[in-house]
Amino acid sequence: MSQRDLIDPESRGVLEELLERVPGGFNAIPDIAERRAVSASMRVQPEVAADARVTKEDRTVAGPAGQPDIGVRVYRPSAVDGTLPGIYVIHGGGMIMGDVEGEDPTATVLCDELQAVVVSVEYRLAPEHPYPAGPEDCYAGLLWTAAHAEELGLDLDRLAVYGGSAGGGLALATALLARDRQGPAIRFLMPLYPMVDDRNETPSSHAVTEVGVWDRAGNVEAWAWYLGGREADQYAAPARAADLSGLPPTYIDVGTVDLFLDEDLELASRLLQAGVPTELHVFPGSYHASEKMAPDAALSRRIWATRLDALRRALA
């Protein structure tokens, strides 16, 4: 039985359509510039009803010391005054793709559903900007968010950090940096199917080779580009952290047909052992980011509902 046979049938159709148009998936396109362009050209931004209820503003803010400025997009419910909880969003893309625009539907829904101020960060990508550019940009954006909390109407006592895939790994790295540098307090951490281990040694990292969305070859390549020849430390690959204590309460979810399954299970176990309150959900039949690719599937609706419930509880 192949890995594709294990995919939720309702979520598989859109994946098969993608593979017909791009055989092997986006990671099969060798040139990274072309890969990004093809991905962007095929990106269909769904009409989000919440758009009419959310105001958005793009800003340029200070990056890491001695480094270029970075972009952030700030979201706020249009009809709500006063101080609101905050969600700091870090987009995915394997450290080599993705942007704030691609994450816009998710950020908009989070803002509207949770009545929260959302700040989405545009960090530099590898291979042009290898580690540590990504996590340092994300941490700089968090510092800016905390410093401007009053202006943004954001309650710093109710601040979550959210990200999927590479964004999940960067969310963990950002939380580790905040812990180790005595930075802003984070109330809640939501790394979704996070990319956390550069070693590619787990059973699932060997098993997922032909699904067409973030298979082994693409993951190995992305880590090589991201590290740029450097040895990974805990801020590059949070699975390497010797000490996970002191991190905020954490929610992790991952699918059974996701290359990151085993490294994420191990991460959740280590967080619990370190005394970090950790909620883990494993969704049978879900492949990497399937809830984004097949949002109307019953499985996808269950994934989103579970996440939103966890965020509501954490930020109440």
Side-chain angles (χ1 to χ4, degrees):
M1 179 179 292
S2 75
Q3 287 287 308
R4 283 194 208 171
D5 294 329
L6 303 175
I7 292 174
D8 167 56
E10 200 178 2
S11 304
R12 187 160 50 191
V14 67
L15 176 60
E16 298 298 341
E17 291 175 11
L18 167 66
L19 296 179
E20 285 182 10
R21 298 174 67 182
V22 186
F26 293 123
N27 285 340
I29 302 172
D31 180 73
I32 185 59
E34 181 184 355
R35 190 183 308 179
R36 291 170 183 158
V38 171
S39 175
S41 71
M42 294 179 63
R43 184 164 66 201
V44 177
Q45 296 292 51
E47 290 189 15
V48 178
D51 270 326
R53 301 188 293 270
V54 171
T55 61
K56 307 177 186 182
E57 181 186 4
D58 289 325
R59 297 197 186 188
T60 300
V61 307
Q67 297 298 312
D69 291 344
I70 58 175
V72 297
R73 182 171 294 178
V74 180
Y75 302 74
R76 186 177 175 89
S78 305
V80 181
D81 295 322
T83 303
L84 302 175
I87 305 174
Y88 185 68
V89 171
I90 305 174
H91 70 77
M95 315 291 185
I96 59 174
M97 298 175 65
D99 53 28
V100 163
E101 186 61 32
E103 199 72 2
D104 185 77
T106 295
T108 301
V109 168
L110 292 175
C111 175
D112 181 61
E113 288 281 344
L114 301 166
Q115 295 295 280
V117 175
V118 173
V119 178
S120 184
V121 61
E122 195 82 87
Y123 57 90
R124 287 172 290 171
L125 300 175
E128 298 91 340
H129 303 284
Y131 176 77
E136 290 293 351
D137 284 357
C138 292
Y139 185 65
L142 181 70
L143 291 177
W144 178 87
T145 300
H148 293 79
E150 184 175 355
E151 172 196 346
L152 298 173
L154 186 156
D155 181 359
L156 267 183
D157 291 329
R158 293 186 292 161
L159 176 62
V161 176
Y162 173 108
S165 190
L170 288 166
L172 283 153
T174 301
L176 286 166
L177 287 167
R179 180 196 69 180
D180 297 343
R181 296 178 182 177
Q182 291 76 53
I186 298 169
R187 171 80 166 266
F188 191 62
L189 187 60
M190 186 171 272
L192 309 169
Y193 37 81
M195 178 181 177
V196 294
D197 194 344
D198 65 295
R199 291 165 289 197
N200 293 287
E201 294 173 349
T202 65
S204 64
S205 75
H206 283 278
V208 179
T209 59
E210 58 175 21
V211 169
V213 177
W214 214 254
D215 295 331
R216 178 177 178 83
N219 194 55
V220 171
E221 175 187 65
W223 274 111
W225 278 346
Y226 176 54
L227 293 174
R230 297 183 58 160
E231 288 292 323
D233 60 15
Q234 64 176 349
Y235 308 119
R240 289 184 176 270
D243 179 14
L244 294 171
S245 64
L247 290 179
T250 299
Y251 171 107
I252 296 172
D253 73 38
V254 65
T256 55
V257 199
D258 192 318
L259 178 148
F260 296 142
L261 172 63
D262 290 329
E263 64 194 64
D264 292 348
L265 294 179
E266 182 177 356
L267 174 70
S269 177
R270 291 188 57 219
L271 284 165
L272 288 166
Q273 292 167 9
V276 177
T278 302
E279 182 174 349
L280 170 68
H281 293 267
V282 179
F283 290 103
S286 177
Y287 54 88
H288 194 71
S290 66
E291 83 289 355
K292 287 191 170 186
M293 293 186 63
D296 295 328
L299 172 60
S300 299
R301 293 196 297 270
R302 188 163 74 251
I303 291 171
W304 282 117
T306 307
R307 292 173 184 170
L308 290 171
D309 175 68
L311 281 164
R312 285 192 187 95
R313 287 185 278 113
L315 298 177

